[in-house]
Amino acid sequence: MEPNIHLNVEPNRLSIYNHIQLKTKQESLSSFFSFTFLSKPNIALQTQDRGSITETSPGSVHIIPHHCIVSATHKNILHLTSFDQTNKNNKAIQKNTQTTITMGEEVDTAFVQAPEHRPKSSVIVAEGIPLIDLSPINYQNEDTLLDSSIENLVKEIGSACKKWGFFQVINHKVPLDKRERIEEAAKKFFALGLEEKLKVRRDAVNVLGYFEAEHTKNVRDWKEIYDFNVQEPTFIPPSDEPDDEENVQFQWDNRWPQNPPEFKEACQEYAQEVEKLAYKLMELVALSLGLVPNRFRGYFTHNTSNIRLNHYPACPYPHLALGLGRHKDTGVLTVLAQDDTGGLEVRRKSDGEWIRVKPIFNSFIINVGDMIQVWSNDAYESVEHRVMVNSEKDRFSIPFFLKPALYTDVKPLEELLDDRNPPIYRPVNWGKFRSARMRSNFAKSKVENLQIYDFKFPSN
Ligand SMILES: O=C(O)CCC(=O)C(=O)O
Ligand SMILES: [Fe+2]
């Protein structure tokens, strides 16, 4: 019987990658494929029976069993021959079917990280970031926290902020149903066709909405996002000089999609709950620095806090790209809900290793942003983190970014300073800092974007 090659070409949704399933018709053990690669290397061959992957080089020939999946990470011209070997009267008969196919788009180099920033194949999860139980604050009815009964909790928060800049919390009082509702709404939104999502696309003027081309440190992230602001609509500009160009640059209105219909409500209800948690955490942070619990409250009257919905699609080259490149959060504090896929990595302060944050059901990941670093005069540092992608599963996450009013001049807090601890930062105008950082997220730019250390006084 003549063997047949069945080609089943399945382009990836982002159309960067092709998988081709090859099957001989009769699937007998004596049928094989032979491949000749005429173009670039980096085809992965995966035989379904053994699941092994072989890297190949141009021009090589591979004979493999009757059923396999070929994945190309570069544009490849592939000459395929399938043949059936049967032994008739001790004579090998070889019947060939030949096909030539072109498969795989080029890897889009915009997504490719420099070798030193690519994910490692081994992942460290051993000693994770601290897990903190917030139940002690749930017994308090007062508006602001009372120091005495939560001494240990305050210590735990302080030490996590110092050592890691990151921790996870449980028993946080954000209702699970509200979280599940926004997670569902996010999934439905991202599942819409691109044309639909582009109706609420962010641009250089409208800074909120959908965006699929975010760059971190000049490399494109493997993700799509949707941003909305928690507080609408008062925006008091960064400076009161009417001619200051920072004042007119951006349009801050939320841009709600029509679909799914419950999207806006799900987002707003969740935002209220997670915002309450963020303020409680700020009280704990204040206490841990020896400040009065409501020390930070005033900065958030006209806050610019926002929520981001992140969708990281499965990626055909997770060894080259990142869902989100290494970065520090610019705001005050981040409260992040990640799903059960995993992928967030935190730079361990003690040795610079990347540590994977293990997903824990119904927990939140909290991290210190650049503004706490400045207020605390470096007692608590904003720590680098990044997101790995994988080739099998999409990942969703929802960070809430607590951010002050645009006009806030953030500077080391007087109460924390003395002769031995002089201020190491000059004031950072939040609105201007944020604008400068946002401009760099749209596309590749020639200069490294503004960082918080640019505000440090020169050391002698
Ligand atoms: O998706 C994540 O786990 C992290 C997201 C993040 O770090 C960010 O959006 O700033
Ligand atoms: Fe982040």
Side-chain angles (χ1 to χ4, degrees), residues 328-382:
K328 298 175 177 185
D329 290 352
T330 53
V332 174
L333 191 84
T334 305
V335 180
L336 171 82
Q338 71 163 335
D339 71 7
D340 59 3
T341 310
L344 174 65
E345 291 190 331
V346 171
R347 179 94 84 179
R348 184 161 57 194
K349 283 177 79 174
S350 57
D351 59 3
E353 279 292 344
W354 287 108
I355 307 295
R356 181 73 70 99
V357 180
K358 203 169 134 218
I360 297 176
F361 176 71
N362 197 18
S363 67
F364 287 99
I365 297 158
I366 315 299
N367 65 288
V368 164
D370 288 344
M371 297 304 113
I372 289 191
Q373 179 170 323
V374 175
W375 275 326
S376 74
N377 208 31
D378 270 3
Y380 297 167
E381 281 170 290
S382 172

Side-chain angles (χ1 to χ4, degrees), residues 324 327-329 367 385 401:
L324 171 53
H327 69 283
K328 298 175 177 185
D329 290 352
N367 65 288
H385 51 289
F401 299 105

Side-chain angles (χ1 to χ4, degrees), residues 258-311:
Q258 288 196 319
N259 281 304
E262 71 280 14
F263 187 86
K264 178 178 173 184
E265 197 183 81
C267 287
Q268 288 179 327
E269 282 187 9
Y270 175 76
Q272 275 185 8
E273 295 295 338
V274 84
E275 186 180 35
K276 276 190 243 162
L277 171 61
Y279 290 140
K280 275 288 163 231
L281 289 163
M282 283 310 288
E283 290 183 27
L284 291 166
V285 168
L287 287 169
S288 76
L289 287 166
L291 304 165
V292 291
N294 62 3
R295 177 65 177 86
F296 295 106
R297 246 326 147 84
Y299 297 115
F300 303 110
T301 311
H302 300 113
N303 71 72
T304 51
S305 303
N306 71 295
I307 286 188
R308 169 165 288 184
L309 310 177
N310 282 313
H311 172 216

